[in-house]
Amino acid sequence: MSDHQLTKDLEAGSRVTAHTTRLGGRDVTDQVQSWQLERSYSTDLPDAMRAFSGSSSAQLQLQIAGTNGDSAPSLYSPWASRYTGDIARPGQSVVHAYGTNAGTLPAFRGTLRNRSAASGTDTVALTALDGAERLHGPAALPKPYAGFYWRRPVATATWCVDELLRQAGVLTAPPVRYPDFDANKPLTLVYASLHGGFATPYGQPEILPDPRHYSWTREGAPHEMALLPHAAAPETAGLTASWFPRSRVTVPGSRLFAEAWVNSAVGIGSIVALEMDLNREGTETGRLRLAVDFSKGEIYMHSGTRDNNSGWYFWWGLPQLKTQPGVWHIGGLFDTTGTGPTVQPTVQPRLTAPDGTNYLFSAATFTDPSAGQLVSELYQLRLVTAMATEGVQLSSGLPAMPAEAEFTQAGTWSKEAELDEAILPLYSVPRISGSQWESLTQIAKASMSTAEFDERGIFRWRNYTRFAKAPTAPDLTLTSARDIASLTVTEEIDACRNYCVQPYKDWTSVGVVSGTVYSDTAVREIPGNSSVTVEYLLAEEEFDVGPPNVDDDESIALGFSVRFAASNAAGADAVKGAVDMLARREEGRLVLRFTNRTAQRLYTVLENGKPSVSVQTLKPSAEPTERQATSSAPGSASERYYGRQEFFGESSDWVQDYRAARGLADAMRAAGEYPVPVIGEVEVLYDPRIQLGDVIRLLDSNGAELDTLAWVVGIKTASTGAGTMQQTLTLRGTRSNGVPADYDLTPDTHADHTPAPAGPSYAAVQSAYSTLDALATGGRTWRQVKEDTDA
């Protein structure tokens, strides 16, 4: 944003220029000899369409001189002293701003990519890239099976964008607490951002709600995007979703910390609950539950069973839950540490209110027998919510209740990205390769979206929905009387696209079948209080699997399971609640880590004495069917004046839903129904307020008689010396000049239907040429005879 004085200076047409440049946090403004900054979208849509897509990676080129009598190469070349040279090393921070003597505005924030020092000169050339440089790590996305298992969306393209950003440390919400596995340290078991999907980087979605019963909202979201229920299942107080943990930790023995962010002012009800199902012997399921009822101003923590809803609960009153509607951070610690076959959990809630007040309640320990938890493993985390919910997380291995600073994570992260509304629901997350930036670019082009880091280093993702309606108000106005130095406007019929087709992959008829089954070939020995790691090959096309379920002698799980016993022998009794099991996928392998939490030696053995580890993957029952969504208006004015002009969108795995495909097709037709004039490179009086994606009003009275709005899809700004500045814009028109009228015109038809001259009749030819020889004299053709012309 420009301040008042700078805005006033620019509107007065000031041509006094100024810039500031920092390398490694040090001001080198006075050493800059020249600079050039360029931003543009790498779109693959037709140039003249009223739409654009793709990614933008800004590049800054600098030439700097030396200082204090030392040449630039001696100070900043690759072989210069680290004391002076590291200011220009690849990877060093760069911040650049430009404006007038009334002030400067941020123009670039990024890192150096290369430097070049020419001996015998006083110049070092530097090239820097914006935040896209941070996204050059390997891209990876989870491969959950829940989407085609339930035939319901498991994610969206927007969720995938958010996840790729998170991997690079570009955050939209508080980060995962404990992402890395480190023995004897806390571990995040489930992290569901809910930023447009139920997919997770840690854990795996299991129960997916009906998409008719929820939406993804940015308005009112605690941080960036939230799950917003529209309807609840009849037997619950809210919408239900669940996830398998990436590690099936044991009870007794674990401290589990569950948390989520909610907005109590947005939703269909007043209750949110986080429930942990525990897999006991036989078919019984234990349950630990944290629930908050905002209408009553009460917090509940329950321990018991799920099957018959037995157990006991503690409750704490908090009137502010009723009087302060808004964003709350809720959390609860379930301490099940102890020895023996049963434990009475100790529970404690912690909350942060919308005004920032933190509430820590006293811990309470259950004593009623019905609240006791028997030996078991964590089976799944369940969310039941009636309000906007974001950032569901479950962690284990905490030494105690997190302190206030650790709970709030204040000061440990900053919001560096902004998403748009969630689009393109996915039943199966597409496979990706390459860097995170390359994957973001691929998604942007497939979804007619744009990806960019702005001048302040904030990442912005914007959807095709911006083209649903042509903008009506500009961000800035440029006139030929003062701002525009040169301008060329052209129009072409190729800009017209009134019959638009978008292919999509239809997953609605795809079910789930068993994939590969791996049966262990050896019984694994797990010494007391130690870990054993087992690896299995997992093909790239195979979908993720969670940690195995633990069998016992009363109940045997199908598919992915394991059984433990205290001796490597047939008939040995099964042991439950003794081994933590972590599953992770890395570099084409499924890695299982078994951690024995007891002092006794355990074995992976079936009751018949055979190895017990069984890994079964799931896969789609068939390939999705490619279909097409079409947007057209037969007989429209566009077709009457320009004919039917087709645009066929690129086939992509990112479009998996008819409504999404139709939305893209409609957006393409809205952008191309009438040819929009192409506005070539426009040289303007430089203005640091202009940003990529801005809407500019062009007023030209020097011949083109132009008064229109246009999007900025490219900006090139350069200074070749003190006081010199040149700025060139690449623009896309936002509308055409209306429907053709053809006043006082009667356009000619496509074909001339006027009858050709009949020429002489047969009788006339016969009278002129009485014999065949007379007709043949001179070698005339029949056409010449008919037209009565000479040879």
Side-chain angles (χ1 to χ4, degrees), residues 419-702:
L419 305 175
D420 212 334
E421 303 302 325
I423 58 168
L424 304 191
L426 301 173
Y427 296 80
S428 175
V429 177
R431 278 179 263 170
I432 59 174
S433 60
S435 70
Q436 293 140 353
W437 185 251
E438 289 169 337
S439 297
L440 286 172
T441 300
Q442 177 189 5
I443 300 172
K445 290 186 175 182
S447 62
M448 283 179 62
S449 303
T450 56
E452 64 187 285
F453 283 88
D454 69 12
E455 292 81 355
R456 299 177 184 272
I458 304 299
F459 177 88
R460 300 190 186 280
W461 176 268
R462 288 181 279 192
N463 297 336
Y464 69 85
T465 50
R466 71 162 85 176
F467 309 123
K469 294 181 180 179
T472 58
D475 296 296
L476 288 170
T477 297
L478 303 178
T479 69
S480 58
R482 189 196 63 190
D483 309 280
I484 302 173
S486 66
L487 172 67
T488 302
V489 182
T490 60
E491 187 178 34
E492 58 187 37
I493 197 169
D494 283 347
C496 181
R497 294 292 191 273
N498 54 29
Y499 187 91
C500 297
V501 181
Q502 176 61 55
Y504 70 98
K505 303 298 176 65
D506 185 0
W507 284 81
T508 55
S509 299
V510 178
V512 62
V513 296
S514 296
T516 306
V517 177
Y518 302 91
S519 297
D520 212 350
T521 57
V523 173
R524 311 285 177 171
E525 178 185 305
I526 311 173
N529 298 312
S530 62
S531 299
V532 170
T533 299
V534 186
E535 297 181 359
Y536 302 91
L537 292 176
L538 201 61
E540 177 66 22
E541 64 272 11
E542 291 186 290
F543 288 78
D544 294 338
V545 292
N549 293 305
V550 179
D551 291 344
D552 56 67
D553 296 333
E554 297 180 42
S555 175
I556 298 176
L558 299 175
F560 197 5
S561 61
V562 63
R563 180 182 183 273
F564 300 103
S567 63
N568 185 7
D573 292 338
V575 175
K576 286 278 288 182
V579 179
D580 288 354
M581 290 158 293
L582 173 73
R584 68 181 187 274
R585 184 176 189 148
E586 59 179 39
E587 299 177 354
R589 296 168 299 149
L590 174 65
V591 180
L592 301 181
R593 183 187 292 268
F594 301 112
T595 301
N596 189 348
R597 295 301 184 190
T598 70
Q600 66 176 334
R601 194 176 299 270
L602 297 174
Y603 299 87
T604 59
V605 62
L606 292 172
E607 195 172 10
N608 60 10
K610 294 182 179 180
S612 67
V613 179
S614 177
V615 179
Q616 178 181 324
T617 64
L618 299 175
K619 66 179 182 180
S621 59
E623 290 294 320
T625 303
E626 181 161 301
R627 305 185 190 279
Q628 297 176 356
T630 302
S631 179
S632 68
S636 66
S638 175
E639 289 193 3
R640 291 200 308 273
Y641 286 105
Y642 301 108
R644 180 165 288 188
Q645 303 288 339
E646 183 192 53
F647 181 77
F648 201 92
E650 183 178 349
S651 177
S652 168
D653 289 337
W654 292 99
V655 187
Q656 301 179 4
D657 175 84
Y658 172 76
R659 292 180 62 186
R662 180 60 188 268
L664 285 170
D666 287 343
M668 286 187 284
R669 186 166 69 88
E673 192 167 17
Y674 296 100
V676 176
V678 177
I679 305 169
E681 292 193 345
V682 182
E683 291 189 20
V684 299
L685 174 65
Y686 99 101
D687 191 326
R689 296 171 297 175
I690 299 175
Q691 293 181 310
L692 203 64
D694 275 355
V695 177
I696 299 296
R697 184 185 181 192
L698 292 176
L699 287 173
D700 182 18
S701 57
N702 290 340

Side-chain angles (χ1 to χ4, degrees), residues 148 165 234 349 394 472 655:
F148 56 84
L165 293 172
L394 178 64
T472 58
V655 187

Side-chain angles (χ1 to χ4, degrees), residues 2-17 98-105 476-478 482-483 685-690 727:
S2 176
D3 62 34
H4 174 73
Q5 186 58 44
L6 178 56
T7 299
K8 182 178 179 181
D9 201 42
L10 290 167
E11 290 178 347
S14 172
R15 280 177 163 77
V16 178
T17 62
Y98 61 76
T100 73
N101 58 353
T104 59
L105 291 176
L476 288 170
T477 297
L478 303 178
R482 189 196 63 190
D483 309 280
L685 174 65
Y686 99 101
D687 191 326
R689 296 171 297 175
I690 299 175
Q727 191 170 49

